[in-house]
């Protein structure tokens, strides 16, 4: 089936998130909805229908800030649909979109599944031998059906209408009713099926997405004032991350200058004689000292470190994802943006805050690694 359309479910009350999901910022200047839309356009699906529930403001925002910025050829492939039946959740969005769809079948992508890959839908289509199906639904790693990442034919609209008229309007119940559903084992594709329901889920998913584009993943540790305890947090993190098998680099700035080499050593004498760079390699350590005209960029330094993850220690706002260190009774405003800040650590409660942070970092690294991430030929968390 070459002519596959795409339905992006962007409506919903977002009660657990506490704010509309579709317009949340993602990476590279995108929002969750523009990220999903771009993937559909790049996959060259026949048409894209964005379901916005019954929220006129959301539909207007998507039209004005996203669709109106597309080329004319792209605009022709995209439409916005409001729910024709209110308060039916994802089922209402699917029903309303399929009712106006012109493609033979539609892949459904929930806007809160930012790691979904459109190519997977084609892969699942090829796994189905017969052509007499109403829906193709993946089974995730938990063994549960994932209907918000399924493929549906518009011919099931009358069946969905009957479900909407009943008491149970859940999408999973609809799958039981429509029949002829092909189930696809997608347990090894759990990363693609991952959704972000809570704000914390969203923050760490965005942290993962930011680090997917980096040679070396990183986190920043910041604080609004000196002597808050950043270094204490950094050293604790280094220790605990090493315990779970990660090699860790640390990069920090020093506005006052510093002296790394020892007075009178051969490398110190060569540097003072005017060498622009000196290096010394020992059996267990290597050090490089480079003369610069201005302070080096911390991010650029981090990307050349031969480690699994780098911690940037900074008094500035840092680079996402950010951990902000606070003292007990902190009342000042945070210096980091809430969208970039994945955690706050109270310096007097390290035993409570650090283990939870390490757990999140480990999950992020496992997602980046595919549980077999290698740097320098050395697998971690094997």
């Amino acid at each position: 089936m070459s002519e596959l359309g795409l339905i992006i479910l962007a409506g919903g009350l977002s009660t657990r998130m506490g704010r509309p999901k579709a317009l949340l910022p993602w990476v590279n200047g995108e929002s969750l909805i523009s990220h999903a839309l771009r993937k559909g356009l790049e996959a060259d699906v026949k048409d894209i229908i964005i379901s916005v529930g019954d929220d006129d403001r959301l539909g207007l925002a998507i039209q004005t800030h996203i669709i109106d910025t597309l080329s004319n050829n792209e605009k022709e492939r995209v439409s916005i649909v409001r729910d024709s039946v209110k308060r039916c959740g994802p089922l209402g969005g699917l029903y309303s979109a399929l009712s106006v769809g012109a493609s033979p079948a539609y892949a459904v992508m929930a806007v809160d599944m930012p790691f979904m890959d459109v190519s997977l839908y084609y892969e699942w289509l090829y796994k189905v031998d017969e052509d007499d199906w109403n829906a193709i639904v993946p089974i995730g790693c938990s063994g549960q059906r994932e209907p918000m990442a399924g493929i549906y034919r518009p011919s099931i609209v009358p069946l969905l209408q009957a479900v909407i008229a009943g008491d149970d309007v859940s999408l999973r119940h609809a799958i039981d009713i429509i029949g002829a559903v092909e189930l696809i084992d997608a347990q090894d594709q759990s990363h693609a099926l991952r959704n972000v329901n809570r704000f914390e889920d969203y923050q760490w998913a965005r942290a993962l997405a930011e680090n997917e584009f980096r040679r070396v993943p990183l986190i920043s540790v910041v604080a609004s004032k000196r002597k808050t305890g950043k270094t204490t947090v950094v050293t604790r993190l280094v220790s605990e991350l090493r315990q779970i098998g990660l090699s860790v680099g640390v990069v920090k700035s020093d506005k006052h200058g510093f002296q790394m080499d020892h007075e009178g050593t051969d490398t110190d004498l060569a540097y003072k004689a005017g060498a622009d760079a000196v290096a010394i390699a020992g059996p267990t350590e290597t050090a490089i000292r480079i003369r610069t005209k201005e302070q080096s960029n911390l991010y650029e330094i981090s990307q050349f470190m031969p480690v699994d993850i780098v911690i940037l220690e900074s008094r500035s706002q840092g680079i996402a994802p950010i951990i902000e260190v606070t003292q007990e009774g902190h009342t000042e405003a945070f210096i980091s943006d809430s969208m970039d800040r994945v955690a706050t650590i109270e310096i007097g409660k390290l035993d409570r805050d650090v283990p939870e942070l390490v757990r999140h970092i480990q999950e992020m690294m496992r997602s980046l690694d595919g549980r077999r991430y290698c740097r320098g030929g050395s697998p971690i968390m094997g």
Side-chain angles (χ1 to χ4, degrees):
M1 184 176 294
S2 59
E3 294 189 335
L4 185 66
L6 176 66
I7 295 172
I8 302 175
L9 296 176
L13 299 176
S14 300
T15 51
R16 283 178 287 181
M17 182 66 71
R19 64 197 76 189
K21 296 178 184 178
L23 300 178
L24 285 172
W26 194 235
V27 298
N28 294 331
E30 293 184 323
S31 62
L32 283 178
I33 183 61
S34 64
H35 174 66
L37 180 59
R38 177 181 56 79
K39 288 194 289 186
L41 290 170
E42 290 179 351
D44 202 28
V45 294
K46 182 182 178 183
D47 65 315
I48 300 173
I49 301 173
I50 302 175
S51 167
V52 295
D54 57 7
D55 191 337
D56 286 328
R57 291 175 299 177
L58 175 61
L60 180 61
I62 293 173
Q63 180 70 51
T64 303
H65 300 294
I66 298 173
I67 296 179
D68 287 348
T69 66
L70 301 176
S71 68
N72 288 333
N73 288 337
E74 291 173 331
K75 287 180 186 177
E76 291 175 358
R77 296 165 54 198
V78 183
S79 59
I80 294 176
V81 173
R82 289 188 61 212
D83 283 3
S84 55
V85 181
K86 294 185 177 181
R87 301 300 180 182
C88 285
L91 177 60
L94 177 62
Y95 169 76
S96 302
L98 288 177
S99 296
V100 301
S103 291
Y106 282 87
V108 171
M109 179 190 297
V111 76
D112 64 356
M113 286 184 171
F115 301 108
M116 189 62 190
D117 188 340
V118 177
S119 65
L120 285 178
Y121 296 111
Y122 290 100
E123 180 181 320
W124 297 339
L125 277 171
Y126 294 138
K127 287 183 178 180
V128 177
D129 296 329
E130 304 297 331
D131 198 38
D132 58 348
W133 50 267
N134 285 330
I136 299 173
V137 177
I139 302 293
C141 63
S142 63
Q144 297 288 325
R145 295 172 297 179
E146 299 289 349
M148 292 180 70
I151 305 171
Y152 302 89
R153 294 189 190 275
S155 58
I156 68 171
V157 165
L159 299 172
L160 295 182
Q161 190 172 28
V163 177
I164 288 173
D167 295 328
D168 188 345
V169 294
S170 68
L171 193 49
R172 283 193 169 90
H173 176 63
I175 297 302
D176 295 329
I177 300 301
I178 64 177
V181 176
E182 295 284 345
L183 299 177
I184 298 293
D185 184 358
Q187 295 186 67
D188 60 345
Q189 294 154 346
S190 59
H191 177 62
L193 296 173
R194 173 180 177 176
N195 63 357
V196 289
N197 284 318
R198 300 171 302 157
F199 190 63
E200 182 185 43
D201 300 330
Y202 156 74
Q203 289 174 302
W204 280 104
R206 189 164 168 238
L208 169 59
E210 293 277 6
N211 277 318
E212 281 183 326
F213 293 97
R214 294 168 178 155
R215 179 183 175 275
V216 184
L218 62 84
I219 56 174
S220 297
V221 175
V222 305
S224 60
K225 295 180 178 180
R226 295 181 68 246
K227 306 298 182 182
T228 303
K230 294 193 308 296
T231 301
T232 300
V233 171
V234 168
T235 54
R236 177 74 178 266
L237 277 175
V238 169
S239 176
E240 299 209 11
L241 290 174
R242 280 183 53 83
Q243 289 180 34
I244 62 172
L246 290 171
S247 59
V248 186
V250 175
V251 178
K252 65 175 297 180
S253 62
D254 190 331
K255 302 293 185 182
H256 306 291
F258 65 94
Q259 181 70 33
M260 187 183 76
D261 211 348
H262 296 297
E263 183 75 25
T265 62
D266 292 344
T267 48
D268 180 59
L269 294 173
Y271 195 77
K272 288 177 178 177
D276 291 314
V278 294
I280 183 168
T284 59
E285 290 181 308
T286 298
I288 301 175
R289 186 178 176 187
I290 303 173
R291 197 184 305 275
T292 60
K293 295 181 179 179
E294 58 186 22
Q295 187 167 14
S296 298
N297 182 286
L298 299 187
Y299 173 76
E300 292 177 358
I301 294 173
S302 75
Q303 296 306 287
F304 286 97
M305 300 186 84
V307 293
D308 296 316
I309 187 169
V310 168
I311 300 173
L312 299 184
E313 182 182 336
S314 173
R315 275 194 65 196
S316 67
Q317 293 186 4
I319 300 170
I322 295 172
I323 299 151
E324 185 150 350
V325 181
T326 68
Q327 293 181 326
E328 188 175 359
H330 172 80
T331 57
E332 302 95 3
F334 290 106
I335 62 169
S336 58
D337 189 287
S338 62
M339 295 296 179
D340 297 332
R341 186 174 59 249
V342 294
T344 58
I345 292 184
E346 191 172 312
I347 194 63
K349 298 180 180 178
L350 292 184
D351 291 340
R352 178 199 66 183
D353 294 343
V354 171
E356 180 69 7
L357 175 58
V358 169
R359 182 182 67 81
H360 280 295
I361 294 174
Q362 184 175 29
E363 289 177 356
M364 179 184 73
M365 294 299 293
R366 281 176 171 163
S367 294
L368 285 171
D369 305 342
R371 293 182 176 82
R372 205 62 188 169
Y373 187 69
C374 293
R375 289 202 184 276
S378 186
I380 64 173
M381 294 187 294

